[in-house]
Amino acid sequence: MTKPADLVQGTLDLLLLKILALEPMNGFAISQRLKQVSGEVLQVSDGSLYPALHKLEQEGWISAEWKSSENNRRAKFYRITKAGRKQLDSEVTQWAQAAGIVTRFLALKGAKV
């Protein structure tokens, strides 16, 4: 993928909500999960990740609390809220529709330009 940042910019909320729908996590673990699931293609900087998490928290889609991490450090753990699950469902539907449209265009056959 030549420009993964473009993909993340338009879909970061969706990806974060999906990750947190599976289990509560701290920011570092979220960052690692993004890399892992994308096959190391998506790497979101802290300068993008934490403002996005803060925005989701302000929207009421996630909540956060301070806890001890696996290595006994204080870390903010994020969890999806009921409103966040509704938003996730909405964004998944929108993404599926958009992907379907792009797929139809990619399937077009015809004269080469």
Side-chain angles (χ1 to χ4, degrees):
M1 183 178 286
T2 57
K3 297 178 85 178
D6 292 342
L7 173 68
V8 173
Q9 186 174 6
T11 61
L12 186 55
D13 289 357
L14 170 63
L15 299 178
L16 294 175
L17 289 171
K18 181 59 181 180
I19 287 171
L20 293 173
L22 301 173
E23 65 180 304
M25 292 184 165
N26 64 38
F28 178 77
I30 292 168
S31 176
Q32 294 303 305
R33 182 65 55 90
L34 284 166
K35 284 190 234 178
Q36 174 196 26
V37 173
S38 72
E40 303 290 322
V41 174
L42 298 178
Q43 297 187 20
V44 179
S45 71
D46 288 351
S48 295
L49 177 63
Y50 289 100
L53 289 168
H54 182 70
K55 178 187 151 241
L56 294 177
E57 192 174 4
Q58 284 186 318
E59 294 286 347
W61 298 337
I62 64 172
S63 62
E65 69 177 304
W66 290 96
K67 293 180 170 181
S68 291
S69 66
E70 290 177 3
N71 59 1
N72 256 358
R73 291 183 148 184
R74 275 181 49 81
K76 203 171 195 182
F77 280 75
Y78 301 90
R79 101 176 25 255
I80 194 167
T81 64
K82 186 174 181 178
R85 288 189 187 280
K86 287 175 94 171
Q87 180 64 23
L88 175 59
D89 289 345
S90 174
E91 290 196 28
V92 166
T93 298
Q94 291 172 23
W95 179 255
Q97 289 172 342
I101 291 167
V102 171
T103 299
R104 286 195 298 270
F105 274 94
L106 294 177
L108 290 175
K109 304 268 192 244
K112 292 184 180 181
V113 179

